[in-house]
Amino acid sequence: MTSAAGPSYTLIPNQKYRRSSRRSRQCCNISDTDSQSLSTLGYFQTLPLEIFQMVLNYLSVKDISMLCLVSKTITNRLINYISTSSGNRRLLLQDFHNLELPGKREGTHILEHYKSLGLLLKRCTLLLPTKDRLKYVHKVLSEVSCFKLNGCPSPLHCLGLQCYGMFLQILTAGWDELECHRVFNFLCELSNLPRKVQTVVSSKPGSARKLELRIRLYCRSVLLNHWIHRSDSAFWLTRILKPWPMVNQARLLYIIFGPVSSLDGQVVWQKMTEGPTDETSLKGLADAIKLLYDTEAREWTADDVISLVDELSVVPREWLMENNARLLILSGNNICFTFMASKAVNGRAVELARLMVFLTLVCEKDLYCMDWAVKMMQKVCKVFSAPGERNNFLQCVENAFAHMIMDMLQTVLAGDRDEEDSSFLNLFHLINAQANFHKEILYLTMTSTSNT
């Protein structure tokens, strides 16, 4: 019975099995397609585009920039979002004049926002050539008038150019020099910077005060202020200065870094020629000179920088020697020595001696150690090839002290005094400077004598 009855289960035909296999493979293909879509859009695939863009409004700009790293499909959706009116309003904040926001330090909030926006557009355009990236960025930012050189009616009270500079610093961080050259050329084309610079460097100083101010703010806020590494700052300052002859470079350097009025922010051209100035008025120029003298600024030789300092000292007319000496001290030992050594080599002993006297005067007034001036004179003396030349220089230094003291004494005796009695104070400082200078020389001489 058992063998006659056969098995108690039903055999499944092979044909049905094959048909089932085909359906299974079909389901697998559909699943693969779905997984590919999910890999590019994730759960956002289930959302309509409008809802996706509403979700973005709840994310920070930095979080949105992270989404650009997910896939090309997501990046395309983000680019569409940026071009929408809602995305434009959200991303292109223009409250550049309301600097005191609740709970925020002055201007910090909007600067951080444009820093994040720079990162967003950097990641959005990652796969594009530099030229196309710049065109896209310009298209996005072109409606922001405060980003333009002449765009804001109140540039001194506006954070627009600073935000633009912060944005560009983040956008271009890590780009090679060739790409940064293209960025500079692109900015020059947009702002018409070369023609505007040509106007101010070829005109009488101060005849285009408002344009001088706008060039200063644009160069500093957009191109120079936001870099972390000195090599980057040197690169951009070189791009600004190098297209021009040396005499124009000096004028442009003064416009960008020279002293300005505390009332209207405009360049004060007579500051260096009318009377002694302070460190604050010279610090920007000194820092710029040091930047160009550094080894990071490969396109500048020591001779270039010294020639630039020489040209600067007659902008707009010859400076008071005291201001020239103070600039050299602030520029650092290497620049100061190189400048003085060039005069020694060229046989300008009398001019060098007067400069030496003013270096001691600045040390006395600004409370620097006088032994620095003595050591600087020692180094300069070694530049002279013959003992006679060195002795002549030392004699010129003593003569310069004597002549300057007599000149100041005559001014005091003539009664030409102002409210601060500056002529008497200058005489007082100069006599003290001479005494302290010679005291350091005596200390040095007696120390070396006792050691022999």
Side-chain angles (χ1 to χ4, degrees):
M1 289 178 61
T2 305
S3 60
S8 60
Y9 55 87
T10 304
L11 292 174
I12 300 174
N14 287 337
Q15 188 176 3
K16 288 184 179 180
Y17 174 78
R18 286 195 297 272
R19 206 161 42 239
S20 174
S21 175
R22 236 184 349 259
R23 281 198 299 270
S24 176
R25 283 197 298 272
Q26 230 172 7
C27 290
C28 287
N29 289 337
I30 293 170
S31 177
D32 288 344
T33 305
D34 289 345
S35 65
Q36 286 173 7
S37 298
L38 284 173
S39 68
T40 56
L41 280 176
Y43 293 108
F44 290 122
Q45 186 192 11
T46 61
L47 298 177
L49 183 60
E50 294 81 3
I51 304 299
F52 173 77
Q53 292 179 354
M54 289 175 65
V55 170
L56 294 179
N57 288 331
Y58 289 91
L59 298 178
S60 69
V61 180
K62 190 173 290 186
D63 290 338
I64 296 174
S65 74
M66 289 295 292
L67 281 177
C68 291
L69 304 178
V70 174
S71 70
K72 189 175 180 180
T73 308
I74 289 281
T75 299
N76 289 335
R77 287 207 172 187
L78 294 176
I79 289 173
N80 290 334
Y81 169 71
I82 293 170
S83 63
T84 63
S85 57
S86 61
N88 212 263
R89 283 194 304 272
R90 162 85 190 286
L91 297 175
L92 296 183
L93 300 183
Q94 298 191 41
D95 197 12
F96 301 120
H97 304 90
N98 184 17
L99 304 184
E100 296 181 3
L101 298 172
K104 303 288 183 181
R105 286 191 294 118
E106 186 174 325
T108 302
H109 170 69
I110 197 164
L111 286 169
E112 286 298 318
H113 173 82
Y114 275 96
K115 188 175 181 179
S116 299
L117 183 61
L119 189 60
L120 171 58
L121 295 192
K122 183 188 189 83
R123 289 171 172 172
C124 275
T125 60
L126 199 59
L127 302 178
L128 296 177
T130 302
K131 186 177 180 181
D132 294 336
R133 296 179 88 171
L134 294 174
K135 285 182 178 179
Y136 173 73
V137 167
H138 172 60
K139 181 182 177 183
V140 172
L141 303 181
S142 59
E143 298 303 316
V144 184
S145 61
C146 289
F147 287 173
K148 300 171 184 176
L149 192 148
N150 286 319
C152 181
S154 181
L156 276 177
H157 306 99
C158 178
L159 284 175
L161 292 180
Q162 292 184 50
C163 290
Y164 191 35
M166 183 69 77
F167 171 89
L168 286 172
Q169 189 266 324
I170 296 298
L171 178 72
T172 60
W175 290 17
D176 61 35
E177 281 197 7
L178 179 59
E179 290 174 313
C180 290
H181 272 280
R182 288 172 179 159
V183 173
F184 181 75
N185 292 336
F186 187 78
L187 292 173
C188 285
E189 187 177 341
L190 288 181
S191 62
N192 205 10
L193 183 62
R195 178 172 291 184
K196 291 177 170 61
V197 169
Q198 176 68 51
T199 299
V200 296
V201 297
S202 59
S203 305
K204 183 181 178 181
S207 61
R209 289 186 177 276
K210 290 184 178 179
L211 184 55
E212 290 170 357
L213 172 61
R214 288 188 179 275
I215 288 173
R216 178 190 178 96
L217 292 175
Y218 188 86
C219 289
R220 292 180 67 137
S221 299
V222 176
L223 300 175
L224 298 172
N225 283 358
H226 303 289
W227 299 105
I228 298 170
H229 302 294
R230 290 178 63 80
S231 57
D232 292 323
S233 300
F235 171 84
W236 291 99
L237 183 55
T238 300
R239 301 283 69 76
I240 294 169
L241 296 179
K242 272 296 184 180
W244 306 98
M246 188 67 70
V247 62
N248 290 342
Q249 288 178 15
R251 285 273 296 271
L252 188 52
L253 198 69
Y254 194 95
I255 288 171
I256 298 173
F257 296 105
V260 293
S261 167
S262 58
L263 298 176
D264 56 14
Q266 294 179 356
V267 179
V268 181
W269 286 100
Q270 308 306 323
K271 186 83 169 179
M272 305 303 172
T273 61
E274 291 181 341
T277 188
D278 55 6
E279 291 185 5
T280 306
S281 299
L282 289 165
K283 189 178 184 307
L285 290 169
D287 288 344
I289 291 166
K290 283 191 285 188
L291 187 66
L292 298 178
Y293 192 83
D294 282 353
T295 54
E296 299 288 356
R298 297 185 300 248
E299 297 175 60
W300 298 83
T301 65
D303 287 342
D304 289 337
V305 178
I306 297 307
S307 297
L308 184 59
V309 174
D310 233 351
E311 288 289 349
L312 188 62
S313 66
V314 293
V315 173
R317 300 192 310 276
E318 188 172 356
W319 291 11
L320 296 182
M321 190 68 84
E322 181 179 329
N323 293 335
N324 206 8
R326 187 170 279 108
L327 175 65
L328 288 174
I329 291 175
L330 292 174
S331 298
N333 291 351
N334 291 335
I335 293 172
C336 184
F337 169 71
T338 306
F339 185 85
M340 297 177 74
S342 69
K343 292 188 181 298
V345 169
N346 292 312
R348 296 156 73 177
V350 174
E351 186 179 335
L352 179 59
R354 288 191 73 245
L355 178 57
M356 190 70 240
V357 171
F358 276 104
L359 287 175
T360 65
L361 179 60
V362 172
C363 286
E364 178 66 26
K365 281 186 171 183
D366 296 354
L367 304 179
Y368 296 126
C369 293
M370 193 62 74
D371 67 337
W372 174 86
V374 174
K375 290 175 182 176
M376 183 60 67
M377 189 176 73
Q378 278 185 303
K379 287 182 68 176
V380 171
C381 283
K382 294 177 181 178
V383 175
F384 292 102
S385 56
E389 292 178 346
R390 183 183 66 241
N391 293 339
N392 177 59
F393 165 64
L394 295 175
Q395 183 63 58
C396 288
V397 171
E398 294 306 316
N399 291 341
F401 267 117
H403 290 153
M404 286 176 59
I405 289 173
M406 290 302 297
D407 289 343
M408 289 185 181
L409 183 59
Q410 285 180 354
T411 302
V412 171
L413 293 176
D416 297 334
R417 300 183 181 182
D418 52 25
E419 293 181 0
E420 298 178 355
D421 208 4
S422 58
S423 58
F424 179 79
L425 283 174
N426 276 337
L427 177 61
F428 172 79
H429 285 306
L430 183 59
I431 292 173
N432 275 337
Q434 185 185 37
N436 288 326
F437 182 66
H438 287 145
K439 179 188 71 176
E440 292 296 335
I441 292 175
L442 288 174
Y443 283 163
L444 189 65
T445 304
M446 297 307 294
T447 303
S448 61
T449 302
S450 62
N451 289 336
T452 55

